[in-house]
Amino acid sequence: MFELKRKLAAFAAVTALVVGLPVTAGAQDQIKVGILSHDTGPFAQNGRGFHRGIEVYQALHGKSAGGREIEFVYRDIGGPNPAVGKRLAEELIVREKVHILGGFALSSEALAVGPIVEQTKTPAITFIASSPSVLAGSQYFLKSGQHIAQSSSAGATFARKQGAEKCYIVVSDYQPGYDAQKAFRKTFESAGGQIVGEVRVPLNTVDFAAIVEGIASTETDCINVFVPPGAPAIGLLRALAERGLVESNFVVGMGEAEDHILPQYDDSVVGFKGALYYAEALDNEENKTFIAKLKELYGPDTQPDFASASAYDGAHLIYEMVKSQEGKDWSGPDAVEAVKGLSWNGVRGPMKIDPETRELVQNIYLREVQKVDGKLQNAIVDQLEAVEAPSKEWMEN
Amino acid sequence: MEQFLASLAFIVLYGGTYGAVLFIISVGLVMTMGLMRVPNLAHGAFAALGGYLTILLMNQAGMHYFVAVPAAVILVAALGALAERAIYVRLYNIPELDQILLTVGIAFIFVGGLALTFGPNVFTIRLPEVLSGSVDLFGRSFPVYRVFLLAVGALIILGFWLVFDRTTLGAKLRAAVDNRSMAQATGINVERIVMLAFAAGTGLAALGGAIGAGLFPLEPLYPIKYLTIILIIVALSGFGNIKSSIVVAMVVGIADTAARYYLPELGGFAIYALVIAAVAMRPAGMFARQG
């Protein structure tokens, strides 16, 4: 045990030395950003969003900021594998000598990389990882995604606003599912609603008909869902729609039916709602510019999604951090300090980094799948402004 | 009581459709395992290919669903025959570990190839108008799509029964499964039978992948993701035992659906308990001849 600790300490010292070296060598003219991405495997859709968001940002804002050139290097984790994420983060910091880390589709990756970020004082921006515990992993973590409860709680608030009384919660049986379930239940109940049923569905579920049959036999006017995107989301939504529940209930999730996934559904998905920090249909300057460039670079059929939007806003945060160090020797901790409290207009609308918690303060939009001119698309039907992340105590009690 | 009967009807009908798709996808592997003794871990890849080809034929060639599905099945069956002659024929006399390495390698090549060609997104196949409504059965509404799956399953079973019990080809096939060298000695062209069976098996997998896409959404990881459930059917059926694979697929489908309905949170694991019990008690297959 002591042997291991000594080795770890030695490793930390070496990494600190290696990473620290350029700092003493004076202001360097290039900042390298390592992106932990998913180019293959079940989360490749997120990884593609990371690439596109960053590339669009660079196409619009150039490849340098604050007198320094910014270079992005990508690594593919390739699946739900935090250990690989950790190894790649080490490689990026030690061998590639990156100054900033970004990416992180999964919270488990951020949790695994946390100690390295802390030891090497490397600022790290999580684009999607939204577990409440992510930021506790290191003081050098920042977010360009969300705290999961921001969207989950907003979903409950929207449901109550629409008069929903009795809600059934369906989540996947894994940690993000539990967090989403808890946040929705707390908010819905404290707003006077009643939770009439809750179910945690195993991640290996293929046919959701049985789960949905259980919900259908309960008296509900609202269903909250949280399952991983991809096959589980499509399977659950189709089963709900097939049973007529999307029509008869206020069904609210998060990103299960983004515009680019809609071609996978038939018309039965009309009426499904998603509460999230980004919406394709947002009518602000930043989003319009973002989407126009996205279509220019990747073809007219390309759709934005929350992954590319988060990567775009994350790239902005990275540029702001680099700008803050203009004319100075690069210091990761100083760069993080400089952007605390920063507020700006992202593609998602106004956003701000809470200087105390480092969580984002941002709008949450209620989107609804509608059929317009024979085509399915999400429309924004409601929004909550400047939503803050709940405290640790709120999440735990 | 009424509630109970309604849930029972649900479980039998939905479990039955799930079982029907499992049967269509897996039966080819049951058959070829019996004939060739090669654990073809790339079997799921042929199912995925059937689904993806159907999408391609519908979207690119503008074919109707009912034309695209048979076309995809025929294409995959032809590819299966080709693969058997080119690759699988070399596997019959090598150690099992090598067979597994090679076939799982083929599955991974498919995973990468599908991701490269179609991207990482999930695909579902748009059903024609006829299949997207619902009908009233046993006092409740039931999607036409599910009835369609049951009907196709029943047709395949009927087809198997006709071919196996009523034709010379079926008799030769049964002979080749039971005793390959004896069959060869009586002048049966076993090589040709194996090729035909392999083509039929991969074709059926393609059919399952295509019409079952509503239950098993198409994604690049399909060949690996559904391998477990396919192998469960094969293990419980016993090599080459097609009749028992019908019952096994139905039992697995209905048991899985029932468990998920009554115990949503633990139900996903009920099927593994069933497998452990069945394999411990009847290692040669749930309905294997005892000898």
Side-chain angles (χ1 to χ4, degrees), chain B residues 228-275:
Chain B
T228 323
I229 190 82
I230 296 174
L231 290 178
I232 284 177
I233 305 288
V234 174
L236 295 183
S237 302
F239 301 162
N241 197 338
I242 289 161
K243 278 181 195 158
S244 90
S245 75
I246 299 168
V247 187
V248 164
M250 287 297 161
V251 167
V252 167
I254 291 175
D256 193 57
T257 305
R260 284 181 199 276
Y261 178 72
Y262 289 114
L263 302 163
E265 289 173 20
L266 296 172
F269 307 99
I271 204 67
Y272 302 115
L274 178 81
V275 173

Tab-separated table of all heavy atoms in Angstrom, chain B residues 228-275:
chain	number	residue	atom	x	y	z
B	228	THR	N	-25.393	-12.151	-27.279
B	228	THR	CA	-25.677	-12.897	-26.052
B	228	THR	C	-27.024	-13.603	-26.145
B	228	THR	O	-27.117	-14.807	-25.895
B	228	THR	CB	-25.716	-11.945	-24.849
B	228	THR	OG1	-24.722	-10.952	-25.030
B	228	THR	CG2	-25.507	-12.683	-23.558
B	229	ILE	N	-28.054	-12.854	-26.523
B	229	ILE	CA	-29.390	-13.445	-26.543
B	229	ILE	C	-29.485	-14.521	-27.633
B	229	ILE	O	-30.104	-15.568	-27.449
B	229	ILE	CB	-30.470	-12.346	-26.692
B	229	ILE	CG1	-31.869	-12.919	-26.457
B	229	ILE	CG2	-30.424	-11.629	-28.013
B	229	ILE	CD1	-32.234	-13.025	-25.015
B	230	ILE	N	-28.791	-14.305	-28.763
B	230	ILE	CA	-28.772	-15.321	-29.823
B	230	ILE	C	-28.107	-16.598	-29.316
B	230	ILE	O	-28.606	-17.710	-29.488
B	230	ILE	CB	-28.020	-14.795	-31.075
B	230	ILE	CG1	-28.773	-13.602	-31.685
B	230	ILE	CG2	-27.853	-15.891	-32.115
B	230	ILE	CD1	-28.028	-12.929	-32.826
B	231	LEU	N	-26.968	-16.420	-28.618
B	231	LEU	CA	-26.246	-17.594	-28.111
B	231	LEU	C	-27.046	-18.299	-27.021
B	231	LEU	O	-26.947	-19.518	-26.867
B	231	LEU	CB	-24.866	-17.181	-27.597
B	231	LEU	CG	-23.885	-16.774	-28.690
B	231	LEU	CD1	-22.557	-16.339	-28.090
B	231	LEU	CD2	-23.646	-17.926	-29.668
B	232	ILE	N	-27.837	-17.532	-26.263
B	232	ILE	CA	-28.697	-18.149	-25.247
B	232	ILE	C	-29.683	-19.095	-25.926
B	232	ILE	O	-29.864	-20.241	-25.509
B	232	ILE	CB	-29.444	-17.071	-24.424
B	232	ILE	CG1	-28.471	-16.432	-23.427
B	232	ILE	CG2	-30.646	-17.666	-23.698
B	232	ILE	CD1	-29.067	-15.309	-22.613
B	233	ILE	N	-30.286	-18.624	-27.016
B	233	ILE	CA	-31.235	-19.476	-27.737
B	233	ILE	C	-30.530	-20.730	-28.257
B	233	ILE	O	-31.034	-21.849	-28.118
B	233	ILE	CB	-31.861	-18.713	-28.933
B	233	ILE	CG1	-32.511	-17.395	-28.480
B	233	ILE	CG2	-32.864	-19.587	-29.681
B	233	ILE	CD1	-33.772	-17.547	-27.715
B	234	VAL	N	-29.334	-20.538	-28.810
B	234	VAL	CA	-28.600	-21.677	-29.365
B	234	VAL	C	-28.246	-22.675	-28.263
B	234	VAL	O	-28.453	-23.883	-28.396
B	234	VAL	CB	-27.326	-21.196	-30.084
B	234	VAL	CG1	-26.486	-22.384	-30.527
B	234	VAL	CG2	-27.687	-20.332	-31.276
B	235	ALA	N	-27.747	-22.148	-27.129
B	235	ALA	CA	-27.313	-23.034	-26.047
B	235	ALA	C	-28.496	-23.818	-25.484
B	235	ALA	O	-28.378	-25.009	-25.192
B	235	ALA	CB	-26.644	-22.221	-24.947
B	236	LEU	N	-29.645	-23.142	-25.340
B	236	LEU	CA	-30.796	-23.823	-24.765
B	236	LEU	C	-31.445	-24.776	-25.752
B	236	LEU	O	-32.129	-25.716	-25.352
B	236	LEU	CB	-31.834	-22.806	-24.278
B	236	LEU	CG	-31.418	-21.904	-23.120
B	236	LEU	CD1	-32.569	-21.012	-22.704
B	236	LEU	CD2	-30.946	-22.733	-21.932
B	237	SER	N	-31.228	-24.543	-27.044
B	237	SER	CA	-31.860	-25.401	-28.044
B	237	SER	C	-31.078	-26.687	-28.236
B	237	SER	O	-31.660	-27.740	-28.499
B	237	SER	CB	-31.929	-24.698	-29.400
B	237	SER	OG	-32.635	-23.498	-29.276
B	238	GLY	N	-29.794	-26.599	-28.104
B	238	GLY	CA	-28.957	-27.738	-28.448
B	238	GLY	C	-28.608	-27.644	-29.919
B	238	GLY	O	-29.405	-27.149	-30.709
B	239	PHE	N	-27.418	-28.113	-30.293
B	239	PHE	CA	-26.947	-27.959	-31.670
B	239	PHE	C	-27.881	-28.643	-32.654
B	239	PHE	O	-28.168	-29.825	-32.528
B	239	PHE	CB	-25.554	-28.533	-31.837
B	239	PHE	CG	-24.538	-27.901	-30.944
B	239	PHE	CD1	-23.338	-28.536	-30.694
B	239	PHE	CD2	-24.789	-26.670	-30.333
B	239	PHE	CE1	-22.400	-27.963	-29.871
B	239	PHE	CE2	-23.858	-26.098	-29.513
B	239	PHE	CZ	-22.670	-26.753	-29.274
B	240	GLY	N	-28.298	-27.925	-33.641
B	240	GLY	CA	-29.020	-28.532	-34.741
B	240	GLY	C	-30.464	-28.912	-34.427
B	240	GLY	O	-31.163	-29.449	-35.266
B	241	ASN	N	-30.916	-28.615	-33.216
B	241	ASN	CA	-32.262	-29.028	-32.827
B	241	ASN	C	-33.265	-27.913	-33.118
B	241	ASN	O	-33.576	-27.077	-32.272
B	241	ASN	CB	-32.269	-29.383	-31.344
B	241	ASN	CG	-33.490	-30.194	-30.987
B	241	ASN	OD1	-34.501	-30.151	-31.689
B	241	ASN	ND2	-33.396	-30.944	-29.908
B	242	ILE	N	-33.762	-27.896	-34.340
B	242	ILE	CA	-34.579	-26.772	-34.787
B	242	ILE	C	-35.937	-26.733	-34.108
B	242	ILE	O	-36.413	-25.681	-33.705
B	242	ILE	CB	-34.726	-26.818	-36.313
B	242	ILE	CG1	-33.368	-26.459	-36.895
B	242	ILE	CG2	-35.765	-25.815	-36.800
B	242	ILE	CD1	-33.166	-26.857	-38.272
B	243	LYS	N	-36.529	-27.914	-33.934
B	243	LYS	CA	-37.852	-27.934	-33.302
B	243	LYS	C	-37.779	-27.339	-31.906
B	243	LYS	O	-38.644	-26.566	-31.490
B	243	LYS	CB	-38.390	-29.360	-33.248
B	243	LYS	CG	-39.014	-29.768	-34.572
B	243	LYS	CD	-39.564	-31.179	-34.498
B	243	LYS	CE	-39.849	-31.691	-35.891
B	243	LYS	NZ	-39.873	-33.156	-35.940
B	244	SER	N	-36.738	-27.725	-31.161
B	244	SER	CA	-36.680	-27.205	-29.803
B	244	SER	C	-36.347	-25.711	-29.814
B	244	SER	O	-36.727	-24.989	-28.898
B	244	SER	CB	-35.684	-27.998	-28.959
B	244	SER	OG	-34.407	-27.451	-29.032
B	245	SER	N	-35.670	-25.233	-30.873
B	245	SER	CA	-35.353	-23.802	-30.881
B	245	SER	C	-36.620	-22.951	-31.008
B	245	SER	O	-36.664	-21.824	-30.532
B	245	SER	CB	-34.353	-23.472	-31.990
B	245	SER	OG	-34.998	-23.481	-33.240
B	246	ILE	N	-37.665	-23.508	-31.624
B	246	ILE	CA	-38.939	-22.780	-31.695
B	246	ILE	C	-39.475	-22.575	-30.286
B	246	ILE	O	-39.788	-21.450	-29.873
B	246	ILE	CB	-39.985	-23.583	-32.519
B	246	ILE	CG1	-39.483	-23.792	-33.939
B	246	ILE	CG2	-41.330	-22.883	-32.496
B	246	ILE	CD1	-40.296	-24.807	-34.723
B	247	VAL	N	-39.534	-23.703	-29.544
B	247	VAL	CA	-40.079	-23.626	-28.189
B	247	VAL	C	-39.193	-22.749	-27.308
B	247	VAL	O	-39.681	-21.891	-26.556
B	247	VAL	CB	-40.195	-25.050	-27.581
B	247	VAL	CG1	-40.904	-24.981	-26.247
B	247	VAL	CG2	-40.910	-25.963	-28.531
B	248	VAL	N	-37.860	-22.940	-27.422
B	248	VAL	CA	-36.937	-22.171	-26.589
B	248	VAL	C	-37.108	-20.670	-26.827
B	248	VAL	O	-37.215	-19.888	-25.882
B	248	VAL	CB	-35.478	-22.604	-26.861
B	248	VAL	CG1	-34.496	-21.589	-26.311
B	248	VAL	CG2	-35.220	-23.967	-26.249
B	249	ALA	N	-37.170	-20.277	-28.105
B	249	ALA	CA	-37.290	-18.851	-28.406
B	249	ALA	C	-38.578	-18.286	-27.807
B	249	ALA	O	-38.597	-17.188	-27.241
B	249	ALA	CB	-37.247	-18.610	-29.910
B	250	MET	N	-39.659	-19.045	-27.914
B	250	MET	CA	-40.931	-18.588	-27.354
B	250	MET	C	-40.854	-18.499	-25.825
B	250	MET	O	-41.309	-17.520	-25.229
B	250	MET	CB	-42.068	-19.557	-27.752
B	250	MET	CG	-42.458	-19.427	-29.207
B	250	MET	SD	-43.114	-17.784	-29.547
B	250	MET	CE	-42.953	-17.706	-31.306
B	251	VAL	N	-40.273	-19.546	-25.204
B	251	VAL	CA	-40.152	-19.541	-23.741
B	251	VAL	C	-39.322	-18.339	-23.296
B	251	VAL	O	-39.700	-17.595	-22.380
B	251	VAL	CB	-39.504	-20.858	-23.240
B	251	VAL	CG1	-39.093	-20.736	-21.784
B	251	VAL	CG2	-40.474	-22.015	-23.415
B	252	VAL	N	-38.184	-18.112	-23.981
B	252	VAL	CA	-37.320	-16.994	-23.605
B	252	VAL	C	-38.055	-15.668	-23.796
B	252	VAL	O	-38.064	-14.815	-22.904
B	252	VAL	CB	-36.007	-17.013	-24.430
B	252	VAL	CG1	-35.243	-15.711	-24.285
B	252	VAL	CG2	-35.136	-18.172	-23.992
B	253	GLY	N	-38.721	-15.515	-24.922
B	253	GLY	CA	-39.441	-14.271	-25.196
B	253	GLY	C	-40.528	-14.007	-24.173
B	253	GLY	O	-40.639	-12.909	-23.618
B	254	ILE	N	-41.326	-15.041	-23.886
B	254	ILE	CA	-42.449	-14.858	-22.965
B	254	ILE	C	-41.950	-14.699	-21.527
B	254	ILE	O	-42.418	-13.821	-20.793
B	254	ILE	CB	-43.448	-16.038	-23.097
B	254	ILE	CG1	-44.132	-15.940	-24.475
B	254	ILE	CG2	-44.487	-16.007	-21.986
B	254	ILE	CD1	-45.038	-17.085	-24.808
B	255	ALA	N	-40.940	-15.507	-21.137
B	255	ALA	CA	-40.415	-15.404	-19.775
B	255	ALA	C	-39.805	-14.016	-19.552
B	255	ALA	O	-40.019	-13.390	-18.511
B	255	ALA	CB	-39.360	-16.486	-19.534
B	256	ASP	N	-39.073	-13.539	-20.541
B	256	ASP	CA	-38.431	-12.229	-20.407
B	256	ASP	C	-39.487	-11.128	-20.273
B	256	ASP	O	-39.391	-10.268	-19.405
B	256	ASP	CB	-37.541	-11.966	-21.624
B	256	ASP	CG	-36.620	-10.785	-21.419
B	256	ASP	OD1	-35.857	-10.818	-20.439
B	256	ASP	OD2	-36.679	-9.828	-22.212
B	257	THR	N	-40.500	-11.186	-21.113
B	257	THR	CA	-41.545	-10.166	-21.073
B	257	THR	C	-42.319	-10.227	-19.748
B	257	THR	O	-42.589	-9.197	-19.122
B	257	THR	CB	-42.517	-10.351	-22.257
B	257	THR	OG1	-41.748	-10.346	-23.463
B	257	THR	CG2	-43.542	-9.248	-22.315
B	258	ALA	N	-42.648	-11.456	-19.318
B	258	ALA	CA	-43.385	-11.609	-18.061
B	258	ALA	C	-42.578	-11.074	-16.894
B	258	ALA	O	-43.086	-10.326	-16.049
B	258	ALA	CB	-43.726	-13.080	-17.832
B	259	ALA	N	-41.286	-11.432	-16.849
B	259	ALA	CA	-40.442	-10.996	-15.745
B	259	ALA	C	-40.322	-9.474	-15.728
B	259	ALA	O	-40.387	-8.844	-14.679
B	259	ALA	CB	-39.060	-11.635	-15.854
B	260	ARG	N	-40.177	-8.872	-16.907
B	260	ARG	CA	-40.042	-7.420	-16.967
B	260	ARG	C	-41.354	-6.733	-16.603
B	260	ARG	O	-41.371	-5.601	-16.132
B	260	ARG	CB	-39.609	-6.980	-18.362
B	260	ARG	CG	-38.144	-7.230	-18.623
B	260	ARG	CD	-37.774	-6.754	-20.020
B	260	ARG	NE	-36.545	-7.371	-20.461
B	260	ARG	CZ	-35.333	-6.914	-20.155
B	260	ARG	NH1	-35.211	-5.839	-19.425
B	260	ARG	NH2	-34.248	-7.527	-20.593
B	261	TYR	N	-42.468	-7.421	-16.847
B	261	TYR	CA	-43.754	-6.819	-16.514
B	261	TYR	C	-44.000	-6.881	-15.012
B	261	TYR	O	-44.374	-5.894	-14.394
B	261	TYR	CB	-44.874	-7.536	-17.267
B	261	TYR	CG	-46.255	-7.006	-16.946
B	261	TYR	CD1	-46.657	-5.753	-17.412
B	261	TYR	CD2	-47.137	-7.727	-16.145
B	261	TYR	CE1	-47.908	-5.254	-17.101
B	261	TYR	CE2	-48.387	-7.234	-15.838
B	261	TYR	CZ	-48.766	-5.993	-16.315
B	261	TYR	OH	-49.998	-5.489	-16.009
B	262	TYR	N	-43.768	-8.052	-14.429
B	262	TYR	CA	-44.076	-8.199	-13.006
B	262	TYR	C	-42.987	-7.633	-12.105
B	262	TYR	O	-43.266	-7.143	-11.019
B	262	TYR	CB	-44.352	-9.663	-12.675
B	262	TYR	CG	-45.678	-10.140	-13.236
B	262	TYR	CD1	-45.743	-11.103	-14.225
B	262	TYR	CD2	-46.868	-9.575	-12.784
B	262	TYR	CE1	-46.961	-11.509	-14.753
B	262	TYR	CE2	-48.098	-9.975	-13.300
B	262	TYR	CZ	-48.133	-10.945	-14.288
B	262	TYR	OH	-49.342	-11.330	-14.804
B	263	LEU	N	-41.738	-7.742	-12.510
B	263	LEU	CA	-40.613	-7.242	-11.706
B	263	LEU	C	-39.747	-6.351	-12.589
B	263	LEU	O	-38.678	-6.764	-13.014
B	263	LEU	CB	-39.735	-8.407	-11.214
B	263	LEU	CG	-40.369	-9.493	-10.377
B	263	LEU	CD1	-39.460	-10.720	-10.374
B	263	LEU	CD2	-40.546	-8.993	-8.957
B	264	PRO	N	-40.204	-5.144	-12.891
B	264	PRO	CA	-39.494	-4.342	-13.895
B	264	PRO	C	-38.006	-4.168	-13.599
B	264	PRO	O	-37.193	-4.120	-14.503
B	264	PRO	CB	-40.217	-3.001	-13.860
B	264	PRO	CG	-41.415	-3.172	-13.019
B	264	PRO	CD	-41.350	-4.472	-12.311
B	265	GLU	N	-37.648	-4.082	-12.308
B	265	GLU	CA	-36.254	-3.748	-12.020
B	265	GLU	C	-35.327	-4.944	-12.018
B	265	GLU	O	-34.151	-4.832	-12.293
B	265	GLU	CB	-36.169	-2.960	-10.709
B	265	GLU	CG	-36.752	-1.583	-10.974
B	265	GLU	CD	-36.914	-0.700	-9.763
B	265	GLU	OE1	-36.255	-0.976	-8.758
B	265	GLU	OE2	-37.688	0.255	-9.868
B	266	LEU	N	-35.886	-6.125	-11.701
B	266	LEU	CA	-35.055	-7.321	-11.683
B	266	LEU	C	-35.315	-8.178	-12.918
B	266	LEU	O	-34.555	-9.072	-13.231
B	266	LEU	CB	-35.356	-8.155	-10.430
B	266	LEU	CG	-35.016	-7.467	-9.126
B	266	LEU	CD1	-35.532	-8.275	-7.952
B	266	LEU	CD2	-33.511	-7.294	-9.013
B	267	GLY	N	-36.411	-7.883	-13.602
B	267	GLY	CA	-36.877	-8.725	-14.690
B	267	GLY	C	-35.836	-8.973	-15.762
B	267	GLY	O	-35.806	-10.033	-16.378
B	268	GLY	N	-34.947	-7.985	-15.989
B	268	GLY	CA	-33.942	-8.129	-17.028
B	268	GLY	C	-32.997	-9.277	-16.751
B	268	GLY	O	-32.312	-9.769	-17.642
B	269	PHE	N	-32.958	-9.713	-15.494
B	269	PHE	CA	-31.992	-10.751	-15.134
B	269	PHE	C	-32.635	-12.121	-15.031
B	269	PHE	O	-31.948	-13.119	-14.934
B	269	PHE	CB	-31.297	-10.374	-13.825
B	269	PHE	CG	-30.711	-8.997	-13.886
B	269	PHE	CD1	-31.378	-7.917	-13.328
B	269	PHE	CD2	-29.536	-8.769	-14.571
B	269	PHE	CE1	-30.862	-6.637	-13.431
B	269	PHE	CE2	-29.021	-7.483	-14.683
B	269	PHE	CZ	-29.687	-6.419	-14.115
B	270	ALA	N	-33.972	-12.145	-15.072
B	270	ALA	CA	-34.686	-13.412	-14.939
B	270	ALA	C	-34.226	-14.399	-16.000
B	270	ALA	O	-34.065	-15.586	-15.738
B	270	ALA	CB	-36.184	-13.176	-15.049
B	271	ILE	N	-33.976	-13.858	-17.196
B	271	ILE	CA	-33.626	-14.715	-18.310
B	271	ILE	C	-32.298	-15.437	-18.050
B	271	ILE	O	-32.114	-16.592	-18.409
B	271	ILE	CB	-33.608	-13.889	-19.617
B	271	ILE	CG1	-33.835	-14.795	-20.795
B	271	ILE	CG2	-32.381	-13.061	-19.810
B	271	ILE	CD1	-35.220	-15.364	-20.768
B	272	TYR	N	-31.390	-14.756	-17.348
B	272	TYR	CA	-30.094	-15.389	-17.057
B	272	TYR	C	-30.260	-16.488	-16.021
B	272	TYR	O	-29.583	-17.524	-16.082
B	272	TYR	CB	-29.079	-14.337	-16.611
B	272	TYR	CG	-28.892	-13.264	-17.654
B	272	TYR	CD1	-29.266	-11.945	-17.420
B	272	TYR	CD2	-28.386	-13.594	-18.914
B	272	TYR	CE1	-29.128	-10.981	-18.395
B	272	TYR	CE2	-28.244	-12.625	-19.891
B	272	TYR	CZ	-28.615	-11.325	-19.631
B	272	TYR	OH	-28.488	-10.366	-20.603
B	273	ALA	N	-31.184	-16.269	-15.062
B	273	ALA	CA	-31.474	-17.311	-14.082
B	273	ALA	C	-32.015	-18.543	-14.800
B	273	ALA	O	-31.610	-19.677	-14.518
B	273	ALA	CB	-32.473	-16.802	-13.041
B	274	LEU	N	-32.903	-18.303	-15.749
B	274	LEU	CA	-33.478	-19.400	-16.540
B	274	LEU	C	-32.376	-20.171	-17.273
B	274	LEU	O	-32.349	-21.400	-17.275
B	274	LEU	CB	-34.479	-18.833	-17.548
B	274	LEU	CG	-35.149	-19.827	-18.483
B	274	LEU	CD1	-36.310	-20.506	-17.791
B	274	LEU	CD2	-35.625	-19.156	-19.763
B	275	VAL	N	-31.436	-19.417	-17.859
B	275	VAL	CA	-30.349	-20.047	-18.601
B	275	VAL	C	-29.494	-20.909	-17.674
B	275	VAL	O	-29.178	-22.061	-17.986
B	275	VAL	CB	-29.472	-18.985	-19.294
B	275	VAL	CG1	-28.254	-19.633	-19.918
B	275	VAL	CG2	-30.286	-18.249	-20.343
